[in-house]
Amino acid sequence: MGQATPKQGQITAGLPSDSLRRECDPTKLGFQNTSELKSAAHLIGQDRAIDAITLSASIIDRRFNIYVLGSEGTGRHEIVDDLITKQASNRPTPSDWVYVNNFNAPHKPNAIKLLPGSSVAFRAAMQNLVDDLANEIPALFESDEYQTQRRAIEEEFGQRHEEPIAEFADRAHAENVALLRTPMGFMLAAIVDGKPIKPEVYEALPAEVRAEIDAKIERLQVHLAEVLKQGPQLEKEHRQRVEDLHAGLAERAVSLRVHEVAEQFSDNAEVSNYLNCVRQDMISNAELFLRPQREGNEGPFPEAIRKHHRDPQFNRYAVNIMVSHEQEKEGAAPVVWEELPSLNHLTGRIEHVAEMGTLATNFTLIKPGALHRANGGYLIIDARRLLSEPFAWDALKQCLQSQSITITSVSDRLNLASTISLEPDPIPLDVRVVLIGNRRLHFLLQLLDPEFGELFKLQADFEDTLSRTAKNTRLMARVIASLAEKENLRPMSAASVAALLDHAVRLADDTKKFSLHLGAIKDVCPSSGILGQMAA
C-alpha cells in the first residue's frame, strides 16, 4: 500500500549526485561555436506579455493603458521599446499645438491645433507680419497723403473752434465789451473810447455806470460759458477724427499683410479667427509700430532688416509652440520616455520673470511637458519614479480621465501662489501610457487606488523562468549567441555556451528551468579570453 517506513537508525537512500546538478552537455548542443547559430530574438518565453503590449498599443479605446510588471533584467524596457516603436510607425503623425494671445482675456491664452509640421511656418509668418508692419506703418504716417489729411483735420477743427468765439466777440463788441485772451483763459472788459477800460478808470466811474457795465458783463459771461462748453466736445471729435485717420491708414497695411498670412492657413478656422482678432488689435494699437521709430535705431543693422518681433511690445502677436512634428517620416506617432516624471515635467509649467520687483508672466512663458510631446502617441514611465514625485500620479490620472492636458503648478495645488498666473486652454489628450514597474507596486495600486483599474485595464506580466526542454535549450543557446553578437564579442565555443546555460539554471534556482534574467547572463559574458578558459 505504500513505501516501507525506515527502521530505527536506518539511513534513507539519498539522491545521486547527477540529480543534484544537471549540467549541460556541450556535445549535445549541435555546434562548435556561436558563429554557426542564427540570431534569435531576446523575447523567448514572453509571448503573453508581448501579446498584451501589442494589444494595448494597437487598440483604439483610450482607457486601455498598460502596466508592465516583472523583475529587473527580464528585458522589459527593451521589449517595450521595440514593440511600441513598431506600433508607432503605423500610426499617423499627430497635430501640432500652439498657444496664442487671447486679446479679450490675456490671462486665458488660446490653444490652436495645426497640421503636423506647420507650427514653425505659422510662427515664422507671424514674425514676418510684425517685421513688415513695423517698417510699413511708420512710412505711411510720414507720407504726404497722411500729412495732407492731418493738416485738413487740424484746419477744420481749428476753424470750428474759433468761429463761435469770433461770433461771440463780435456780439460783445457791439455792446461795447471786449473779449480778451489771457494765460488763464478768456475775460470780458468794457470798452470806453474804443479801448478796454482800465481798472482805475473803472473805479472812477459813477456807481450807476459801473452797475450797468457789471450787469452787461455778467449777462455776456453766461453766453461765453455756453460757447466755451462746446470746446471739450470739439476736442473729443478732433481726437476721434485723428484716430479714425490713423486706423484707416493702419488698416490698409494691416489688412493686406494679415490677408497674406490667412491665405497660407485658409483651411484652419481657428487660425482664421485668431488672425481676425490680430487684425483688429493691430489697427487699434497702431502706435505700437511707431514706438521703434521714435526710440530710434540703436542696433548696427538698418531699420529695414531689424527683427522687430523680438521687441517686448510685440509679444502679444507671438506664437508659442508647445509641440511640433516635422513630417520627415510619414505615419510616425511619438514615443516619449520620461525619465523624471515630476508634475512640471508631465503636464508642463508656466514660468515667471521679475518685473519691477514682482513676478509676472505671459503666454510665451508656457512650457510643454511629456504629455504634450507624447500626445497622439505613447508615453512610457517608470512606475516607482512616478509615484515618488508629489502630485504627479494624481495629475496624470486627472489628464487621462478628462482626456485633456491642464497645466497646474505645485504652488497652485497648495494654494501658495501669490503671483500673476495664467489659465491656458486645456489641450485635448490622446495618449497611451505604459507604466513599467514591479509586481509589488502593481498589487499596491490595485489595492489602494480604485481608479487604477479603470485607467490601466491591461497588464503585461514578464516571466522570470523558462522550462528546461530540449527545444528551449537550443533557443537559449541562440539567444546567448545573439547577445554575444550584439556586444561585439568573439564567437563562443559550445563549452562556453553550456557554462552560461548552467549559470541560467543556477539563477532560476530550479534544475528544470532557465532564468530569463538575460541581463544577469550578459553580465558574465566576457569581452576576451575568459570564455576560452571556461571551456578549457
Side-chain angles (χ1 to χ4, degrees):
M1 296 297 293
Q3 295 181 349
T5 304
K7 296 181 180 180
Q8 184 74 19
Q10 182 180 356
I11 300 176
T12 59
L15 294 173
S17 59
D18 57 349
S19 297
L20 295 176
R21 182 182 180 188
R22 294 171 54 192
E23 294 184 350
C24 180
D25 187 356
T27 61
K28 294 183 180 180
L29 293 178
F31 61 89
Q32 294 298 320
N33 59 61
T34 55
S35 63
E36 304 173 16
L37 298 178
K38 294 181 180 180
S39 298
H42 302 171
L43 312 181
I44 61 173
Q46 308 293 0
D47 295 340
R48 293 180 60 188
I50 292 173
D51 290 343
I53 296 173
T54 304
L55 176 62
S56 174
S58 59
I59 200 168
I60 299 177
D61 195 312
R62 300 180 182 180
R63 297 173 298 171
F64 282 80
N65 302 294
I66 188 169
Y67 187 104
V68 178
L69 58 151
S71 304
E72 293 291 338
T74 54
R76 295 170 303 166
H77 294 78
E78 181 180 356
I79 294 175
V80 166
D81 188 39
D82 290 342
L83 295 177
I84 295 297
T85 302
K86 181 179 178 181
Q87 290 294 328
S89 64
N90 298 324
R91 296 185 61 176
T93 304
S95 303
D96 289 2
W97 284 94
V98 300
Y99 274 115
V100 296
N101 188 20
N102 183 346
F103 297 101
N104 296 324
H107 68 289
K108 294 183 177 181
N110 293 329
I112 295 181
K113 180 180 180 181
L114 297 168
L115 293 175
S118 62
S119 59
V120 175
F122 181 46
R123 179 177 62 185
M126 291 301 298
Q127 291 174 349
N128 292 335
L129 172 66
V130 170
D131 291 340
D132 291 341
L133 292 178
N135 291 315
E136 294 175 5
I137 291 180
L140 283 176
F141 283 87
E142 294 174 359
S143 64
D144 293 338
E145 178 186 3
Y146 170 76
Q147 297 298 333
T148 301
Q149 295 185 42
R150 180 65 182 268
R151 192 180 305 111
I153 292 175
E154 299 297 336
E155 291 176 356
E156 175 188 346
F157 279 89
Q159 184 177 359
R160 291 178 59 184
H161 184 75
E162 292 296 332
E163 280 182 355
I165 297 178
E167 291 177 0
F168 175 82
D170 292 341
R171 183 193 307 175
H173 191 272
E175 299 186 29
N176 292 324
V177 175
L179 178 64
L180 305 178
R181 294 178 183 268
T182 68
M184 302 300 296
F186 291 96
M187 65 173 294
L188 297 174
I191 297 177
V192 176
D193 297 331
K195 296 181 180 179
I197 193 173
K198 294 183 179 180
E200 57 272 15
V201 177
Y202 172 79
E203 293 295 335
L205 293 175
E208 297 82 2
V209 177
R210 291 200 308 269
E212 182 181 350
I213 292 175
D214 291 343
K216 183 167 50 177
I217 290 179
E218 184 177 355
R219 175 171 50 82
L220 291 175
Q221 284 281 13
V222 175
H223 291 293
L224 177 61
E226 293 294 331
V227 172
L228 296 179
K229 190 182 296 183
Q230 302 175 11
Q233 180 63 29
L234 284 175
E235 290 293 335
K236 182 178 179 181
E237 293 181 16
H238 183 197
R239 290 194 303 270
Q240 187 62 46
R241 285 284 298 277
V242 172
E243 291 176 3
D244 292 343
L245 173 62
H246 291 174
L249 285 176
E251 184 176 8
R252 288 164 48 185
V254 170
S255 296
L256 176 62
R257 294 301 183 184
V258 171
H259 180 69
E260 293 175 353
V261 178
E263 284 186 334
Q264 300 180 40
F265 303 91
S266 58
D267 56 343
N268 192 316
E270 294 184 13
V271 173
S272 298
N273 293 335
Y274 167 68
L275 290 176
N276 185 48
C277 295
V278 168
R279 186 183 68 84
Q280 296 175 6
D281 188 80
M282 285 182 169
I283 292 173
S284 60
N285 294 281
E287 69 276 3
L288 290 176
F289 297 92
L290 301 177
R291 189 177 305 170
Q293 293 291 107
R294 293 195 300 266
E295 293 174 353
N297 183 18
E298 300 177 357
F301 298 104
E303 189 72 22
I305 63 174
R306 179 183 172 191
K307 301 299 183 182
H308 296 280
H309 65 265
R310 297 175 181 172
D311 296 337
Q313 69 264 26
F314 295 127
N315 282 343
R316 61 195 296 115
Y317 308 121
V319 175
N320 184 9
I321 298 178
M322 297 302 290
V323 59
S324 176
H325 301 284
E326 297 296 333
Q327 291 182 305
E328 299 176 354
K329 181 181 177 182
E330 294 184 359
V335 178
V336 177
W337 289 75
E338 181 52 53
E339 299 296 335
L340 182 60
S342 63
L343 176 62
N344 289 344
H345 286 186
L346 280 178
T347 62
R349 66 191 186 280
I350 301 174
E351 296 182 344
H352 292 75
V353 295
E355 291 183 358
M356 305 295 292
T358 185
L359 294 178
T361 187
N362 59 69
F363 74 98
T364 64
L365 298 177
I366 302 175
K367 305 301 178 182
L371 287 173
H372 295 92
R373 298 191 301 273
N375 199 4
Y378 303 88
L379 176 60
I380 307 172
I381 309 175
D382 183 271
R384 181 182 59 82
R385 294 177 181 176
L386 174 66
L387 295 172
S388 63
E389 293 290 339
F391 304 107
W393 173 243
D394 287 338
L396 176 62
K397 290 193 301 179
Q398 181 181 357
C399 291
L400 292 176
Q401 290 168 342
S402 64
Q403 297 180 3
S404 64
I405 309 173
T406 302
I407 301 178
T408 56
S409 64
V410 174
S411 58
D412 291 336
R413 286 178 173 265
L414 296 176
N415 295 324
L416 299 178
S418 59
T419 58
I420 299 174
S421 190
L422 303 176
E423 300 176 20
D425 280 348
I427 293 179
L429 177 64
D430 178 14
V431 70
R432 185 56 38 83
V433 178
V434 180
L435 288 182
I436 301 179
N438 57 38
R439 293 182 176 86
R440 178 178 296 179
L441 277 180
H442 181 258
F443 171 76
L444 291 175
L445 286 171
Q446 285 187 318
L447 179 65
L448 301 177
D449 193 338
E451 297 174 338
F452 174 74
E454 289 296 321
L455 297 173
F456 292 83
K457 291 184 176 296
L458 293 177
Q459 295 81 40
D461 193 351
F462 276 69
E463 300 290 342
D464 294 328
T465 59
L466 179 68
S467 297
R468 188 179 182 182
T469 64
K471 178 181 178 181
N472 290 339
T473 299
R474 291 191 294 271
L475 281 175
M476 286 292 293
R478 291 175 57 193
V479 169
I480 292 174
S482 300
L483 289 175
E485 182 179 356
K486 184 177 180 180
E487 297 296 325
N488 295 321
L489 304 181
R490 296 188 305 178
M492 292 185 288
S493 65
S496 300
V497 174
L500 288 174
L501 292 175
D502 290 340
H503 182 60
V505 173
R506 188 181 306 112
L507 292 175
D509 289 331
D510 192 330
T511 59
K512 297 182 179 180
K513 294 182 179 180
F514 291 115
S515 172
L516 290 178
H517 288 236
L518 301 181
I521 298 175
K522 184 172 64 175
D523 289 341
V524 299
C525 290
S527 58
S528 60
I530 299 178
L531 282 179
Q533 298 176 12
M534 292 173 62

